[in-house]
Structure formats: C-alpha cells, structure tokens
Amino acid sequence: MAGTGAGVAAAAGAAPGGGRPLIITEDPVLLDDLLRLCAAAGAEPHVHHAVPGQSGAGGVSGASDGSAGAVGWDSAPLVLVGDDAAGRVRGAPRRTGVLLVGRDLDDPLVWQRAVEIGAEEVLRLPDAESLLVDRIADVVEGAGRPALAVGVIGGAGGAGASTLACALAVRAARAGERTILIDGDPLGGGMDVLLGGESAEGLRWPDFAASRGRVGAGALEESLPELHALRVLSWDRGDRVVVPPAAMRSVVAAARRRGGVVVVDLPRRVDEAVAEVLAQLDLVLMVVPGELRSVAAAGRVAAGVRMVARDVRVVVRGRCPGGLDPEAVAGLLGAPLAGEVPVEVGLPGRVAEGEPPGAQGRGALARFCDGFWQRALGPAQGVPA
C-alpha cells in the first residue's frame, strides 16, 4: 500500500493468529520462491524434506523434533508440498489445508499426484503467486469463518438505506458481534456523521485510495474509528477521491476476514468499484418505499445489482396512504421480502442530537434489525431463505 494506508499493509503480519505454515520440498529453487512468498505474507514457515516425524525427514528450519514452536503434519495450519516431494508425502494421514505447489505448467500427472496426497488445490508458480500469498496470510491472521456481509441499497432516492445500514451495524455491535460498517457511497453524507463521529480519529476511504495488494485484516480494523462499539470506514470532508476497484476489493475482503458482521451502505449506481463490493456480499437488502413510483425506480436499480449480487431481498420502508402493501412491492420487483420497517416517529430529531439510528432498542427500526440478525446469525451463520 502507498500513502497514509501504508501502515495497514505493514501491520498485516502482526495480526492475531500467528500460524506458521509447513513447507515440504527439496527443490532449492521452489524453496526460495516459497520462502519469498511467506515473507511477503508475514509468515515464518517450518521447512522439511518429507512429512515431519517420518524416517529421514530432515528439517531445514523449525524442525518438528519437539522443540518449542515446532509443528507436525497434523498440527500445521497450512501445508505447502513441493511437486518434488509428492511421492514422499503419499501415505501421510489425510487432512485439510494441503496445497501442491510446483513450476511445471505442462505436467499432465500433477492432478494424479494431488489426489494421491489429498491436496485441496494445485498451484503453479509464478501464475498463482498472488493466490498463494493470500492463503499464507490467512494463516498468519488466524482467518476463520468470514464475516456475514450485508449490503443495503436504496431502491429510490430518500428511501432510508443509510439509516437502515447504520441501524443494522449498531444492533449487531450491541448484540456482541464484531462489526465493521463500510460507507460505500462517496456522495452520501458520511456514515461517521450519522454515528455522530465525524471528528473521530482514524483512517477514511481516501487513505486507502492508493492501496495495492492485500490489506491486513487486523490492522484495518484497528485503524478505523470506533463509534458505538463498532468500526466504521467512511469518507472525509475533503474533495472527492476516487477509490479504484482493486482497493475496494482489498479493503472489503480484509474486513470480511476478521469474522463477525460487515454492513455496507451502497450507492444506487453500480459502477466497477461497486460491483467489486457486491461480489463479496452474502446478501443485499434493497430499501423501497411502498408506492408505485419508488417501485418503478427500484426496478432499474435491482436490474444492475442482480448482475453481480448473489441474493437480493426487499425491505419496504413505511406505507404511503393508498400505497402498495409489502408483498405487492416484493412481487413487482420479483425479489423475496425481507420485511417491513415502519417510519419511526422522532428518529430524525434524535439523530440530529447525536443518537444513531437503532440505538433505541424498543423502536421499530431496532426491532427489525434485531429480528434480522437473529435469523441470519443462527448456529450455522447463514441467511435463511
């Protein structure tokens, strides 16, 4: 990363987890490459010529001989098996997290060897270097279940999407979930403002505009302003800065790797950068007022979102006199109904006084959000149909 965000990338190797991968190879050229990629991911690997514990399994570094910090075949969080060592690994106990790595792009027997050792993937260098660095860095950061990522988008102007996104994040944080709220709309008023923290210290989107490559998940979280028990990534008050699609993708991916909940407030226009965000979301909630003109506008927005998003559902915001009921709105848009959020009397005044949406647990907005998270964050952490 370049510019102010450089500290985020630099701290990636210091994030919690600290897992050390195991490398098994005798190929000096391949070993040099793997050590270089481990260094890029902030990992210090153990290196062996064969499965640790086997007769003749010489250790180049970090040998699993009972010394402090040593790892074995079963305990290593990730095993990188060189093509040259596949025969020596054959017969080892099956386990997850085994990658077969080599440099010969035209080897027709590579897949047979991968099956024989139970490898999850076959990676060929140098083409797969970026992917391999990501896998190693996940180990360093102790990556587990990714966050449940929910986007909120307005089907029409003034639908209240930012209000719902903020309330969802506030309620998730109050339920004890690790929560990151991401402001994906550079032309909005700023999610930090909605949370009453526009002057809070921490990085904003312009600090990540020059991001290159992987962003450290733990470092990202620590760098963002903390407001109402959640972290928020918003825009500053300066001139508009264009965040490239690659930077958007890297930042959202880093937020997801920390687990918990990620809520993204989305703009209504789907450009390349927004498409990168949509591709990483588990669910998109489209907020639509219950009247015909808003439904017509939402239809056009939905068409663009559906080109990328996996799951789009409708939230009907308020009922207009003589307007459409929630089921009719969802039916016209051809999307499942996620629920209805009545207009909450007095909410704008409370927000103006510094109280974020969703702060009042007895309000209609908070009740909707609590019900949503109870369904979405069940034992299997899935989004029910």
Side-chain angles (χ1 to χ4, degrees):
M1 294 177 62
T4 311
V8 176
R20 296 179 64 183
L22 172 64
I23 296 175
I24 301 177
T25 184
E26 282 188 297
D27 183 335
V29 176
L30 179 60
L31 178 58
D32 284 345
D33 284 337
L34 293 178
L35 291 175
R36 172 176 56 82
L37 297 177
C38 284
E44 182 182 352
H46 296 271
V47 181
H48 285 262
H49 298 320
V51 176
Q54 285 184 346
S55 176
V60 178
S61 68
S64 298
D65 55 4
S67 59
V71 298
W73 172 266
D74 293 327
S75 60
L78 183 70
V79 180
L80 308 178
V81 179
D83 234 355
D84 65 293
R88 298 190 296 277
V89 169
R90 189 185 301 117
R94 292 301 174 103
R95 52 153 293 165
T96 60
V98 176
L99 308 180
L100 183 61
V101 187
R103 303 189 64 86
D104 186 354
L105 300 177
D106 301 317
D107 184 356
L109 300 178
V110 62
W111 298 106
Q112 178 181 332
R113 293 195 294 275
V115 171
E116 290 173 348
I117 68 173
E120 291 182 0
E121 291 184 77
V122 174
L123 300 180
R124 286 322 198 198
L125 304 182
D127 292 354
E129 286 192 356
S130 177
L131 175 60
L132 186 52
V133 169
D134 281 350
R135 289 296 301 269
I136 298 169
D138 283 343
V139 169
V140 175
E141 295 178 351
R145 184 194 296 273
L148 179 63
V150 178
V152 185
I153 189 168
S162 296
T163 298
L164 178 58
C166 186
L168 283 168
V170 167
R171 299 311 299 176
R174 294 199 174 188
E177 295 289 335
R178 173 186 276 128
T179 305
I180 296 181
L181 174 60
I182 297 177
D183 187 350
D185 186 358
L187 300 182
M191 298 302 289
D192 54 350
V193 176
L194 200 54
L195 287 161
E198 58 269 28
S199 61
E201 293 186 0
L203 300 185
R204 265 70 173 181
W205 266 121
D207 298 308
F208 297 94
S211 301
R212 295 294 183 271
R214 184 185 177 93
V215 176
L220 170 69
E221 183 179 30
E222 293 301 317
S223 73
L224 300 178
E226 183 174 10
L227 303 168
H228 302 279
L230 61 91
R231 299 283 180 168
V232 58
L233 175 55
S234 190
W235 302 85
D236 63 8
R237 311 281 84 81
D239 294 337
R240 181 185 176 187
V241 175
V242 176
V243 178
M248 281 278 191
R249 178 176 62 249
S250 296
V251 170
V252 175
R256 292 204 67 195
R257 287 197 301 272
R258 289 295 279 172
V261 164
V262 173
V263 180
V264 185
D265 182 40
L266 296 163
R268 293 173 59 209
R269 180 176 178 270
V270 179
D271 57 18
E272 188 177 352
V274 174
E276 291 286 358
V277 178
L278 287 170
Q280 298 191 59
L281 299 179
D282 298 297
L283 171 67
V284 176
L285 298 176
M286 177 173 292
V287 186
V288 185
E291 52 94 17
L292 191 57
R293 187 164 176 262
S294 295
V295 173
R300 293 189 290 272
V301 176
V305 172
R306 284 194 183 109
M307 293 177 66
V308 186
R310 294 188 292 269
D311 190 347
V312 182
R313 306 186 192 182
V314 174
V315 175
V316 176
R317 184 71 185 273
R319 294 200 187 191
C320 303
L324 302 168
D325 61 41
E327 290 76 12
V329 172
L332 288 170
L333 292 173
L337 178 65
E340 178 186 7
V341 181
V343 174
E344 191 168 313
V345 178
L347 178 61
R350 295 197 299 273
V351 170
E353 294 174 357
E355 177 184 292
Q360 291 208 356
R362 294 185 299 273
L365 189 57
R367 288 197 301 272
F368 171 87
C369 295
D370 288 347
F372 173 82
W373 291 127
Q374 286 169 10
R375 295 188 300 272
L377 295 172
Q381 196 188 59
V383 184

